């Protein structure tokens, strides 16, 4: 085996891990693949000379590429909120596996972080990269790198507005609502909705002719079932400190639900789809690092 072939084989052994790192930083499998391919091109040009720890070297290179891509995205002011995706909403199997490995809620919350915050958090909290290495990647001092990750961690975890026991109770109610919505089960929806429940929605998220305000359990249940297709992209999350829902096809936030729980039923909920309103919401995961399962 020649030198280049051996280098390629060593790179391929790292490709899966590098793609996992890049996907968590970028939230896009296509962009993650681009970042990993660029890392290979740089390694190929360098020839591996002077690279003692290839895994660490590649992690550094991929992270810097991702950081540049995130900064370019921010400079273009790309809008990650409230944008309906083209196509039928089906996710390719390999992409679904990537998303499932991270969690929709965490992907959504990562999109709210600044580029350097996101890189520092992903590297340290998800891949246990030492802060000394992170500081070099983001071109910050060691204390500044630690502060980036700490600030990102606080945003990811959020600050619940209620005691833990109440958060758990509300979550059970909201998850029962989501399960009934996914199944199109009117009876189960009526069980979890208060008799005088009110549903409000930004008109942009509704089909033509659908009222933005529905009142009463039967009307809200029927309206929920009519939009059940979107519920397969929905997961619970903290929304402004309370248990709510984010709907994020392919990990990109489409809209959020703010939910009011009364007893063991949903008293009201609002579907927020306007990009400006979505930006103002404080979103966080419910399980530390975002597992919804």
């Amino acid at each position: 085996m020649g030198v280049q072939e051996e280098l390629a084989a060593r790179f391929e052994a790292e490709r899966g891990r590098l793609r996992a790192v890049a996907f968590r930083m970028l939230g896009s499998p296509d962009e993650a693949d681009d970042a990993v391919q660029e890392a290979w091109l740089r390694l190929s040009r360098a020839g591996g000379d002077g690279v003692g720890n290839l895994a660490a070297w590649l992690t550094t290179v991929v992270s810097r590429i991702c950081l540049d891509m995130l900064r370019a995205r921010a400079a273009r002011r790309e809008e990650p909120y409230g944008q309906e995706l083209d196509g039928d909403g089906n996710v390719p199997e390999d992409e679904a596996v990537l998303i499932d490995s991270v969690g929709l809620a965490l992907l959504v919350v990562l999109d709210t972080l600044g580029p350097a915050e996101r890189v520092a958090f992903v590297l340290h909290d998800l891949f246990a990269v030492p802060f000394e290495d992170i500081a070099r990647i983001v071109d910050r001092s060691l204390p500044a790198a630690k502060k980036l990750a700490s600030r990102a961690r606080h945003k990811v975890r959020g600050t619940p507005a209620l005691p833990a026991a109440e958060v758990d109770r509300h979550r059970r109610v909201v998850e029962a609502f989501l399960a009934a919505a996914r199944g199109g089960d009117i009876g189960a929806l009526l069980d979890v909705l208060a008799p005088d429940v009110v549903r409000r929605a930004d008109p942009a998220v509704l089909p033509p002719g659908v009222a933005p305000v529905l009142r009463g359990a039967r009307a809200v249940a029927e309206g929920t079932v009519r939009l059940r297709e979107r519920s397969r992209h929905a997961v619970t999350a903290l929304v402004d400190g309370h248990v709510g829902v984010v709907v994020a096809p392919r990990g990109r936030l489409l809209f959020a639900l703010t939910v009011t729980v009364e007893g063991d039923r949903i008293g009201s909920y609002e579907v927020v789809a306007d990009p400006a309103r979505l930006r103002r919401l404080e979103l966080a995961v419910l399980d530390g690092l975002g597992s919804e399962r």
Side-chain angles (χ1 to χ4, degrees):
M1 180 183 292
V3 174
Q4 194 70 4
E5 289 79 5
E6 182 181 351
L7 194 62
R10 293 174 65 195
F11 178 83
E12 287 304 317
E14 298 289 337
R15 182 184 289 275
R17 183 183 61 83
L18 295 173
R19 190 179 190 230
V21 171
F23 179 67
R24 284 154 179 77
M25 289 185 183
L26 299 170
S28 162
D30 292 337
E31 290 185 351
D33 287 337
D34 289 343
V36 172
Q37 185 61 23
E38 175 61 24
W40 160 247
L41 293 175
R42 295 186 186 185
L43 176 63
S44 180
R45 287 195 296 266
D49 293 337
V51 178
N53 185 332
L54 183 63
W57 188 90
L58 286 170
T59 299
T60 296
V61 171
V62 164
S63 299
R64 286 174 173 163
I65 292 169
C66 290
L67 182 57
D68 288 343
M69 293 172 73
L70 288 169
R71 286 170 172 165
R73 183 190 295 173
R76 292 194 300 269
R77 299 180 183 273
E78 287 186 7
E79 180 55 77
Y81 305 116
Q83 304 244 342
E84 188 77 75
L85 294 172
D86 294 332
D88 59 8
N90 291 323
V91 179
E93 184 176 353
D94 64 334
E95 183 173 341
V97 170
L98 270 177
I99 291 172
D100 190 62
S101 70
V102 183
L104 280 178
L106 181 56
L107 282 175
V108 169
V109 176
L110 287 175
D111 257 348
T112 69
L113 303 179
E117 285 180 338
R118 184 166 184 167
V119 168
F121 175 81
V122 167
L123 288 176
H124 184 265
D125 285 49
L126 304 187
F127 291 94
V129 174
F131 276 120
E132 291 80 1
D133 296 341
I134 295 171
R136 288 192 292 271
I137 290 168
V138 298
D139 194 24
R140 305 285 181 93
S141 66
L142 181 58
K146 290 181 177 180
K147 188 172 183 179
L148 280 173
S150 175
R151 190 163 61 229
R153 192 178 307 118
H154 178 74
K155 291 179 181 178
V156 168
R157 293 176 177 172
T159 305
L162 298 170
E166 284 294 282
V167 171
D168 288 342
R169 183 174 65 82
H170 286 199
R171 181 178 187 169
R172 288 193 294 271
V173 173
V174 175
E175 287 183 340
F177 167 75
L178 281 180
R182 292 188 189 106
D185 189 334
I186 291 285
L189 282 167
L190 291 175
D191 287 340
V192 79
L193 295 172
D196 57 351
V197 63
V198 178
R199 186 221 70 191
R200 295 179 173 83
D202 283 342
V205 80
L206 298 172
V210 175
V213 179
L214 296 176
R215 300 180 185 276
R218 172 63 62 173
V220 172
E222 292 175 351
T224 300
V225 167
R226 281 198 295 270
L227 300 175
R228 62 180 288 195
E229 183 64 21
R230 289 171 172 170
S231 64
R232 64 192 176 107
H233 304 296
V235 294
T236 53
L238 274 182
V239 181
D240 283 345
H242 296 271
V243 179
V245 175
V246 291
V247 180
R250 304 181 79 167
R252 302 287 282 179
L253 183 62
L254 181 61
F255 51 86
L257 275 63
T258 59
V259 181
T260 300
V261 176
E262 299 173 354
D264 291 323
R265 293 187 172 187
I266 290 176
S268 65
Y269 74 90
E270 181 175 7
V271 184
V272 180
D274 176 71
R277 295 186 67 201
L278 285 173
R279 278 195 299 271
R280 291 195 292 269
L281 295 176
E282 292 186 8
L283 304 176
V285 300
L286 278 165
D287 289 322
L289 290 182
S291 170
E292 292 113 18
R293 302 182 187 279

